[in-house]
Amino acid sequence: MLHSTLYFLPRNCVLTTLIFGGKHGAFINMHVSLTVYQLQQEAPRPKRITCPQEMESRPKYYGREFHGMISRDYADELLAGTEGAYLIRESQRQPGTYTLALRFGHQTLNYRLFYDGKHFVGEKRFESVHDLVTDALITLYIETKAAEYIAKMTTNPIYEHLGYTSLLKDKMVHRLSRGRTEPRRVTFQRDEKISSPLVRRSALKDTPEKQCSYEKIHNFKVHTFRGPHWCEYCANFMWGLIAQGVRCSDCGLNVHKQCSKLVPSDCQPDLRRIKKVFSCDLTTLVKAHNTTRPMVVDMCIREIELRGMKSEGLYRVSGFSEHIEDVRLAFDRDGEKADISASAYADINIIAGALKLYFRDLPIPVITFDLYSKFIQAAKLPNAESRLEAIHEGLLQLPPAHYETLRYLMAHLKRVTMFEKYNLMNAENLGIVFGPTLMQPPEQNALTTLNDMRQQKLVVQLIIEHEDVLF
């Protein structure tokens, strides 16, 4: 059970921070006003108004603060004159529903009270009604006394001064200088000297290309902090009893919920927080490991090209699912040290199956949800050159890590087609296999997937056939 513990520091104290530094940048000296922190200590304490008699209709998850079916006016009388006093009553208008009556600001506030294993009136859920009231009084008091202060909290953030952002930029430049290939914009032209309706000839545009970087948004989730915590964006106290703010589950950044909307997309995942390789967001994985592409893709393709290019039905023939699962577990456990050599897995179809499983399990597909319809519509265009132009425009909009991964995979699949004589896999066959693996409709509708299968196949087929032009 969560106890309603409040943490005290001397009144009028000023905090010289040691909070910010370490993993989020160099240590700095700053003075942070403890106004909000002090207000939390001054907030009214909960005072339970108990019912003098035992109520047979009392739900088992409420205590003596339950007064049965009483009117609003009578509840107001019971609470009158005592800030922080509270009770629970059954609604007269809607029997079977319950109301929390709370005295604050010399008036009685009434909230519809719910229970689903925990008590709540809004988003936060509490182990006890006492904890819920404690948190409510803190929030009400701070929002009443410091509304203007709270409104201005994010106007002068200390985030940019922590060194965290500049450190990330330095890492990014180093990473991108290790061989990152920028997407190039091309135009597809009809060559009058060639009679083919589709001419695979490209010309680079003269306009400069936009600079791409491996940006990643923070993966914020509501978090309960034990002990006093200060926001790492605005440097202000994070008030409340539970769920005082949010924490990035990938890098550990702690901020107010309202501040999370202002934090730049500069998450640098901490490897200690990345629990697995499969089913991990693609950008998160490559940033955590400081690589251009996921190591799973590089290692599997390397192994396949070493000993499997002539294997009949490559990528179409399935390996044993138990062995594919073993490969997945090996990557999740050992990362780049996973052994996928011939001595461990003689059947190359196991490695090919593991690669397909990796792409299939991505929470955001290689061809992202928000670009899915763009690629589907591109495949429906009747003109061949327009179709390639539209696909190329879609590729340029992919997140950089997704673009790099797709570029590397398509170059590999193009090489696979060069061994069609042996493996019987041409671009169309590979499109059938990889279409639904690399792109999925955002609504996960089976009927949509079925209707789009032809376009999914065609998109991948065209990218394989024209990968030297499209990337």
Side-chain angles (χ1 to χ4, degrees), residues 365 367-370 372-373 376 435-436 438-450 452 456:
I367 293 177
T368 56
F369 290 128
D370 57 338
Y372 177 84
S373 60
I376 293 297
L438 298 177
M439 53 191 303
Q440 302 163 26
E443 64 275 10
Q444 298 295 317
N445 184 289
L447 184 59
T448 302
T449 302
L450 186 63
D452 292 346
Q456 291 174 346

Side-chain angles (χ1 to χ4, degrees), residues 120-131:
F120 63 99
V121 296
E123 292 181 353
K124 294 184 179 183
R125 282 166 163 73
F126 299 82
E127 295 289 346
S128 70
V129 174
H130 185 80
D131 287 342

